[in-house]
Amino acid sequence: MAPGVARRARQRVRILPLAGARSRSAEDWWWDRLAPSGSGYHLLQSDSMLLVLPGPGPARRRAQRRAARRAQLLRLHGARAAEAKAKPRTAPAPAPAPQQEPDPGWGDRIPLEILLQIFGLLVAADGPIPFLGRAARVCRRWHEAASQPALWHTLTLSPPLVGRPAKSGTKTEKKLLTSLEWLMPSRFSQLQRLTLIHWKSQVHPVLKLVSESCPRLTFLKLSDCHGVTPDTLIMLAKACPQLHSLDIQHSMVESTAVVSFLEEAGPRMRKLWLTYSSQTTAILGALLVCWSRAGAELGAEPGTARPPTLCSPPPLQGSCCPQLQLLEVSTGLNHNSTPLQLPVEALQKGCPQLQVLRLLNLMWLPKPSGRATPPGPGFPSLEELCLASSTCNFVSNEVLDRLLHGSPHLRLLDLRGCARITPAGLHDLPCQGLEQLHLGLYGMSDRLTLAKEGSLLLTQKWCHTLQELDLSGQGFSERDLEQALAAFSGAPGGSHLALCSLNLRGTRVTASTVSAVISNCPGLLYLNLESCRCLPRGLKRAYRGAEEVQWCLRQLLTSLAPPS
């Protein structure tokens, strides 16, 4: 056989091991590759190199290498077996203990009493919704605090209105009513003030729930609500013995429902808000007639009684409001041009405890008193009278005297739009401590604003007590205004001037007069100089705050300084 053929045969034998033989390691393969047996070379391995040297070297038999490797494996297995025998058998590990819940944080460590005080401050500022609903989802302690009925003393309920048709609005009100059925008994047992806005179809079921679950209700407001029946209000008046305030402005409520309610709850009524309409006239008329008849009977001589006429039914019992303190009648969204005839003397007899009377933006005409009619008792407790209107009205000095001749404690008098009132008529009023006087004429043309004199009578009488003075649009002359505002130059004895708001919009006030007022009234915080023709350009605007008012003073003094 040729040498090359024999060599290739030996290589095939080495490459293809016999069946059952172990696979060769990488070290054996490199050893045979570099220095095959019988080649006359041997390998010498050092720390950092591998040398192939000529000559026979120490033979490294494959059997020896396998034996060393096998002995090493046996020693390793033996050591593991000995360790397993030496280790005692232990009981199975117990089940891991349940992990403790993490620290809930500071919110769960606050005492419930402190949480109630904190929540009470937030509710007083922003109302219970949506804060209490969100706070109840924080933790159990917060849920307990938010569920206290003491926090739910004021509530406003209004279905969403954004883009809803009539049918979906009814469904929304029914869903909200379903939620109220389980909220009322648990949360609203101490409810005191309730406001319903934009309820169209479910007012009666809601008020029925209120009458069953809210015995402490004191204030009810119905704004833009429909479907209020007499039975509903009567049921509420009987179930809520502390209810003393009713606001039905801008709602469709029948006059019979209001009259029935006042017949039931009249003796305890304190505040009443109405929107002027034909039904409002019936409400006021019915109450005042009842009061005038009752007063006539009470004032009759002993042993005599005035028999009711055919056109007037017998006097109603329990329909008067002797404790009424606030009465407000204002126009609705649709302005009603029909004059309101208000019997002043009958109102004074029917509501002797009245403190606030507001007839806002009304065309009202007091009924003539007549020559034989004695003057009414007045309003001895009246503190606020508002007759403001954007149009001309029929309020004159005589009407104002009929209203205020017995009101020495008046603090606020709002006569905006009352062009027939003169300073002389105001000077004759019995009130000495007036704090706010509003005489502005808004929405009127210059030809309707007549030139007047006598503004000095107003400031001389109330210069020490006035905090707000509004003379906007009044036609007082420059000289008259200068004399009137000079009354604020100071008071004898160094008494402090209380004036903090002055509205001179559209008047003929001069720069020297304004600068003198600002200098003498250090507490002035609001000054309106819009459309004042006698002032320099750039200064005809409203000034808010002490800094702006002082800046105006510097500019006025600069304009008054003689040129150098």
Side-chain angles (χ1 to χ4, degrees):
M1 182 179 298
V5 176
R7 185 169 56 255
R8 286 194 296 271
R10 286 195 301 271
Q11 290 178 356
R12 284 196 298 269
V13 171
R14 283 198 299 268
I15 292 174
L16 299 175
L18 296 176
R22 293 185 178 182
S23 61
R24 301 172 61 191
S25 64
E27 184 180 357
D28 295 340
W29 185 86
W30 278 106
W31 189 278
D32 294 341
R33 188 73 174 175
L34 297 176
S37 58
S39 62
Y41 294 90
H42 68 280
L43 295 177
L44 181 62
Q45 183 177 4
S46 63
D47 295 335
S48 59
M49 61 184 66
L50 182 64
L51 301 177
V52 181
L53 300 177
R60 186 176 183 182
R61 299 179 180 178
R62 188 178 301 171
Q64 293 178 356
R65 293 195 300 272
R66 292 179 179 175
R69 193 180 299 110
R70 192 179 299 110
Q72 183 179 1
L73 292 176
L74 290 176
R75 287 195 301 270
L76 180 60
H77 291 299
R80 291 180 179 177
E83 183 180 358
K85 290 181 180 180
K87 186 176 181 180
R89 293 185 177 180
T90 58
Q99 297 181 357
Q100 296 182 355
E101 297 182 358
D103 186 7
W106 61 268
D108 203 21
R109 291 194 293 265
I110 298 180
L112 184 62
E113 295 78 8
I114 298 180
L115 268 182
L116 288 177
Q117 294 183 7
I118 297 175
F119 287 2
L121 295 176
L122 295 173
V123 168
D126 301 328
I129 296 176
F131 168 71
L132 291 181
R134 296 172 179 174
R137 297 195 294 266
V138 174
C139 61
R140 294 182 178 178
R141 177 63 60 86
W142 284 38
H143 182 275
E144 182 182 1
S147 302
Q148 297 296 323
L151 296 176
W152 298 85
H153 54 79
T154 302
L155 185 64
T156 299
L157 299 176
S158 176
L161 290 176
V162 180
R164 68 170 193 178
K167 294 184 178 180
S168 62
T170 303
K171 293 181 179 179
T172 304
E173 292 183 13
K174 290 183 178 179
K175 290 182 180 180
L176 188 54
L177 179 62
T178 304
S179 301
L180 291 176
E181 289 178 353
W182 64 269
L183 277 175
M184 284 284 183
S186 60
R187 304 288 177 86
F188 301 157
S189 60
Q190 298 186 21
L191 186 65
Q192 299 178 7
R193 300 177 63 89
L194 175 63
T195 301
L196 300 180
I197 304 176
H198 305 308
W199 286 77
K200 305 300 182 182
S201 61
Q202 302 296 323
V203 177
H204 179 77
V206 172
L207 294 182
K208 183 178 179 181
L209 288 175
V210 172
S211 63
E212 295 174 354
S213 305
C214 307
R216 299 187 179 184
L217 189 69
T218 61
F219 172 84
L220 175 63
K221 180 177 180 180
L222 304 176
S223 180
D224 191 21
C225 295
H226 299 177
V228 183
T229 61
D231 297 338
T232 303
L233 292 181
I234 293 176
M235 172 185 60
L236 200 64
K238 293 181 178 180
C240 302
Q242 301 181 16
L243 182 61
H244 58 70
S245 300
L246 178 64
D247 186 351
I248 55 174
Q249 287 186 340
H250 312 296
S251 293
M252 297 182 63
V253 183
E254 298 180 0
S255 59
T256 55
V258 181
V259 172
S260 301
F261 172 81
L262 294 178
E263 289 176 359
E264 180 67 31
R268 64 173 185 264
M269 288 299 296
R270 298 292 186 272
K271 300 178 182 180
L272 181 62
W273 290 266
L274 303 173
T275 299
Y276 175 59
S277 63
S278 57
Q279 296 183 355
T280 304
T281 305
I283 295 171
L284 294 177
L287 294 177
L288 295 176
V289 166
C290 293
W291 247 106
S292 61
R293 293 171 188 164
E297 289 187 354
L298 292 176
E301 296 181 0
T304 62
R306 297 186 180 183
T309 61
L310 296 176
C311 59
S312 59
L316 299 177
Q317 301 295 329
S319 61
C320 56
C321 300
Q323 304 296 328
L324 193 66
Q325 299 176 359
L326 184 149
L327 176 61
E328 177 177 329
V329 183
S330 62
T331 56
L333 299 178
N334 299 325
H335 183 72
N336 194 338
S337 59
T338 305
L340 169 65
Q341 290 190 350
L342 182 67
V344 176
E345 286 74 19
L347 183 62
Q348 293 173 348
K349 294 177 182 179
C351 304
Q353 303 296 328
L354 199 63
Q355 299 178 4
V356 178
L357 176 60
R358 299 173 185 154
L359 304 176
L360 304 178
N361 206 23
L362 293 179
M363 183 75 69
W364 73 286
L365 177 64
K367 288 186 177 181
S369 57
R371 297 181 179 179
T373 304
F379 297 108
S381 302
L382 192 65
E383 298 181 358
E384 177 182 342
L385 176 63
C386 296
L387 304 177
S389 175
S390 60
T391 58
C392 295
N393 52 37
F394 301 97
V395 180
S396 60
N397 292 337
E398 186 266 337
V399 174
L400 195 63
D401 181 71
R402 289 171 57 187
L403 284 169
L404 300 177
H405 69 87
S407 305
H409 305 293
L410 192 68
R411 295 290 181 267
L412 188 151
L413 181 59
D414 190 351
L415 300 175
R416 286 174 291 183
C418 301
R420 301 186 182 188
I421 299 294
T422 63
L426 293 172
H427 185 267
D428 296 336
L429 295 178
C431 48
Q432 300 295 330
L434 195 64
E435 297 177 355
Q436 301 181 33
L437 178 60
H438 301 274
L439 300 176
L441 301 178
Y442 300 92
M444 298 184 182
S445 59
D446 295 338
R447 59 185 178 182
L448 295 178
T449 304
L450 303 179
K452 299 178 181 179
E453 294 182 355
S455 58
L456 179 61
L457 299 175
L458 305 178
T459 55
Q460 281 183 342
K461 184 174 183 177
W462 295 306
C463 63
H464 306 301
T465 59
L466 273 180
Q467 299 179 6
E468 299 182 12
L469 177 60
D470 181 7
L471 300 176
S472 174
Q474 292 288 346
F476 299 116
S477 63
E478 300 176 10
R479 179 62 179 171
D480 195 79
L481 286 174
E482 182 179 358
Q483 294 177 355
L485 297 179
F488 295 103
S489 60
S495 60
H496 177 69
L497 294 175
L499 188 65
C500 60
S501 175
L502 180 60
N503 190 346
L504 300 173
R505 179 181 181 274
T507 60
R508 301 175 183 177
V509 66
T510 60
S512 58
T513 303
V514 176
S515 59
V517 172
I518 298 176
S519 302
N520 296 324
C521 301
L524 194 62
L525 300 177
Y526 176 79
L527 178 62
N528 193 341
L529 302 177
E530 297 177 352
S531 304
C532 295
R533 298 180 179 180
C534 299
L535 294 181
R537 292 184 177 180
L539 300 179
K540 304 175 185 179
R541 65 182 185 88
Y543 300 90
R544 296 175 175 84
E547 295 182 0
E548 293 188 6
V549 172
Q550 293 301 320
W551 179 88
C552 177
L553 175 61
R554 292 191 296 268
Q555 298 299 320
L556 289 173
L557 295 177
T558 303
S559 64
L560 294 174
S564 57

